Amino acid sequence: MHPNPSFFQSTIVNNPQDTLQGREDEEPPGSGAAASEPTANCVVRRVSSLNDAAIVLRFPPERVARTSLRTRAFRRKFFSGVPDKTWNDWQWQIRNRIRHYGQLQSMLDLSPAEKGVADHTGHKLPMGITPYYMSLLTVDDAAQPLRRTVVPTINEFVRSPGEADDPLGEENQSPVPGLVHRYPDRVLLLVHDFCSTYCRYCTRSRVVGHGAILPSRSRLEQAIDYVRATPSVRDVLLSGGDPLTLNDDRLEWILARLRRISHVEIVRIGTKIPAVLPQRVTGRLVRMLRKYHPLWMSLHFTHPDECTPETTRACGMLADAGIPLGSQTVLLKGVNDTVDTMKSLCHNLLRMRVRPYYLYQCDPITGSGHFRTSIAQGLEIIRGLRGFTSGYAVPTYVVDAPGGGGKVPLMPDYMAGREGSDLLLRNYEDRLFRYPDCRSADIETGSSPCPLETIP
């Protein structure tokens, strides 16, 4: 027993403002910093779980800034009268999103391609950017990676060959509204269609932000009933829209009902919240989430500039709650399509306790041609990572096959051929090595070309 019982204290602070006040048609439905004590070689952080306490050791000790200089400058210029408590309220962030071009023009020097969008009507994907994420954008550089991912341009109105509104064929694999059953043992449950910040390359731009998928109890119960009636489903992925823009009670309602289904082994949540709205990750949220383990999260990160102090803190809270974190990154032209950028992103993710999981080839949605790279470029990035950095830092490069074919992994060809019983392998340095693959030769030829010797 620790000599001082008060040593073990929860570092999670309850946020009293976890109910969303007011909403528009496309708004989401629904109504403390960690303490640390440095030692000689590490930082001891006091945390508590539901039943017992633990000590988390951090190496090496370091002082982490609460926010970036860029965000501070942005707040002084555009939100000088907003106190920290309000700025860090996730509901305030959603209510004050940048949604109109008048707001954009007051904050950014718009390029001709960005200005041109204002002349178009009936745009499929609405614009929405949280003040926090807007603070990460550069004012005078329309080519800045983060800015390209959230500020619309006229390029979105150009339809290239092979593009489609529903390229993955989700509508054809949806047995009940808002649920996609593509793989044998898992389903995708779209809880609603709202995101706090809209990515311009969104696969579901045909429905997101238009109120097409509402989190009504009747629709969600229908989807959960389907899961309950399908024993082969052991894995449920909550997505949308962003599930974490639901308030805690609504999200828990879904998690609790899924956890009552005996054959559902794991639940996953797909979200971009830690990158675009880290203020949403509150003590109350993580305390609720950790009641429903095994619970996993797939986080959407695009560029190392998203790995801010606020995001690091949010990922740390989720990881401390025992939630395994994986990152899903979309390969985007002019955003993250170089080896150096991708390596920096993956290294930053690991430091934030997030495992780079998938690197997606950009889906051929309508108007995405300016974002898509060649497959060869994606393979070159994987080749530039494998062997040159930790294996944990190398995501799996996949193409989501159009028409509902599912994820197809792609890898550079490291098999250079075969000579007799030897398999010729090419390593990350482009050097050739031989592996004595006698067993494969047995299968292929029906005889063993390898001499057998008795070990004395």
Side-chain angles (χ1 to χ4, degrees), residues 164-183 187-190 192 202-208 213 237 239-241 360 363 365 400-407:
D165 292 345
D166 181 21
L168 305 186
E170 290 184 339
E171 302 292 343
N172 298 325
Q173 297 175 325
S174 181
V176 297
L179 183 140
V180 179
H181 194 172
R182 172 174 298 151
Y183 301 100
V187 296
L188 170 69
L189 174 55
L190 307 177
H192 63 166
C202 179
T203 296
R204 299 190 187 98
S205 58
R206 69 189 186 279
V207 294
V208 165
I213 304 176
L237 170 61
S239 186
Y360 283 97
D363 294 326
I365 60 166
D400 222 333
K407 299 177 185 66

Side-chain angles (χ1 to χ4, degrees), residues 118-376:
D119 299 329
H120 288 267
T121 58
H123 199 257
K124 291 184 178 180
L125 180 64
M127 179 179 67
I129 310 170
T130 59
Y132 161 77
Y133 202 74
M134 178 63 76
S135 75
L136 306 182
L137 309 189
T138 55
V139 173
D140 55 359
D141 182 10
Q144 185 220 14
L146 297 192
R147 180 164 162 175
R148 292 192 67 232
T149 65
V150 294
V151 176
T153 69
I154 57 175
N155 296 313
E156 296 179 22
F157 297 95
V158 178
R159 184 167 189 154
S160 302
E163 294 180 349
D165 292 345
D166 181 21
L168 305 186
E170 290 184 339
E171 302 292 343
N172 298 325
Q173 297 175 325
S174 181
V176 297
L179 183 140
V180 179
H181 194 172
R182 172 174 298 151
Y183 301 100
D185 68 341
R186 51 205 183 276
V187 296
L188 170 69
L189 174 55
L190 307 177
V191 298
H192 63 166
D193 67 0
F194 176 84
C195 292
S196 66
T197 297
Y198 294 113
C199 304
R200 309 317 306 172
Y201 49 89
C202 179
T203 296
R204 299 190 187 98
S205 58
R206 69 189 186 279
V207 294
V208 165
H210 300 295
I213 304 176
L214 298 176
S216 65
R217 178 166 295 196
S218 60
R219 183 188 69 82
L220 291 172
E221 285 181 338
Q222 186 180 5
I224 293 171
D225 286 344
Y226 175 87
V227 174
R228 186 181 296 109
T230 313
S232 61
V233 175
R234 48 168 289 279
D235 178 357
V236 178
L237 170 61
L238 303 181
S239 186
D242 197 315
L244 292 191
T245 56
L246 291 173
N247 67 32
D248 295 348
D249 292 339
R250 289 216 175 193
L251 181 58
E252 184 168 20
W253 183 89
I254 298 172
L255 293 174
R257 276 151 183 77
L258 289 173
R259 272 281 156 255
R260 294 172 188 168
I261 303 174
S262 59
H263 57 264
V264 173
E265 298 174 8
I266 64 171
V267 177
R268 292 180 288 156
I269 296 176
T271 179
K272 195 174 171 62
I273 282 296
V276 298
L277 185 59
Q279 295 84 359
R280 173 63 182 102
V281 182
T282 64
R284 178 180 173 185
L285 174 67
V286 297
R287 283 196 301 274
M288 181 273 288
L289 292 175
R290 65 185 177 186
K291 292 191 294 184
Y292 297 99
H293 281 309
L295 181 70
W296 296 63
M297 277 197 182
S298 296
L299 311 181
H300 179 25
F301 285 98
T302 302
H303 190 273
D305 286 352
E306 292 177 325
C307 303
T308 64
E310 292 93 336
T311 293
T312 300
R313 190 176 305 111
C315 290
M317 291 178 68
L318 293 170
D320 284 348
I323 302 172
L325 306 176
S327 173
Q328 301 191 129
T329 297
V330 180
L331 181 60
L332 300 170
K333 185 177 181 180
V335 175
N336 55 20
D337 58 339
T338 68
V339 173
D340 288 344
T341 300
M342 192 61 65
K343 184 186 295 185
S344 176
L345 172 60
C346 292
H347 287 177
N348 274 281
L349 290 173
L350 287 180
R351 282 193 289 268
M352 296 193 304
R353 301 157 73 186
V354 180
R355 164 73 157 95
Y357 179 38
Y358 277 137
L359 174 61
Y360 283 97
Q361 179 69 12
C362 184
D363 294 326
I365 60 166
T366 302
S368 64
H370 59 298
F371 279 124
R372 296 203 309 277
T373 69
S374 66
I375 297 291

Side-chain angles (χ1 to χ4, degrees), residues 1-199:
M1 179 179 295
H2 195 277
N4 180 8
S6 65
F7 177 82
F8 296 108
Q9 298 174 356
S10 173
T11 63
I12 301 175
V13 180
N14 187 15
N15 183 351
Q17 302 183 22
D18 271 350
T19 358
L20 182 62
Q21 302 296 326
R23 53 173 288 201
E24 299 180 33
D25 289 342
E26 60 97 28
E27 293 297 311
S31 51
S36 62
E37 290 186 0
T39 65
N41 297 310
C42 64
V43 172
V44 181
R45 215 171 126 211
R46 295 174 289 190
V47 301
S48 66
S49 64
L50 286 175
N51 301 314
D52 44 40
I55 301 177
V56 179
L57 303 181
R58 297 290 172 81
F59 299 88
E62 59 180 348
R63 292 181 61 86
V64 179
R66 294 185 61 83
T67 190
S68 65
L69 294 177
R70 175 175 288 177
T71 296
R72 289 177 184 173
F74 176 86
R75 287 184 61 185
R76 283 196 299 269
K77 185 172 182 179
F78 297 107
F79 294 95
S80 59
V82 176
D84 288 349
K85 183 177 180 180
T86 302
W87 174 265
N88 291 318
D89 178 355
W90 68 275
Q91 297 159 335
W92 179 91
Q93 287 278 335
I94 287 181
R95 289 194 299 270
N96 288 274
R97 289 174 304 139
I98 289 77
R99 298 177 54 196
H100 307 290
Y101 269 82
Q103 296 170 286
L104 270 186
Q105 287 178 323
S106 69
M107 296 178 175
L108 303 176
D109 296 334
L110 298 182
S111 69
E114 292 169 333
K115 291 179 180 178
V117 178
D119 299 329
H120 288 267
T121 58
H123 199 257
K124 291 184 178 180
L125 180 64
M127 179 179 67
I129 310 170
T130 59
Y132 161 77
Y133 202 74
M134 178 63 76
S135 75
L136 306 182
L137 309 189
T138 55
V139 173
D140 55 359
D141 182 10
Q144 185 220 14
L146 297 192
R147 180 164 162 175
R148 292 192 67 232
T149 65
V150 294
V151 176
T153 69
I154 57 175
N155 296 313
E156 296 179 22
F157 297 95
V158 178
R159 184 167 189 154
S160 302
E163 294 180 349
D165 292 345
D166 181 21
L168 305 186
E170 290 184 339
E171 302 292 343
N172 298 325
Q173 297 175 325
S174 181
V176 297
L179 183 140
V180 179
H181 194 172
R182 172 174 298 151
Y183 301 100
D185 68 341
R186 51 205 183 276
V187 296
L188 170 69
L189 174 55
L190 307 177
V191 298
H192 63 166
D193 67 0
F194 176 84
C195 292
S196 66
T197 297
Y198 294 113
C199 304

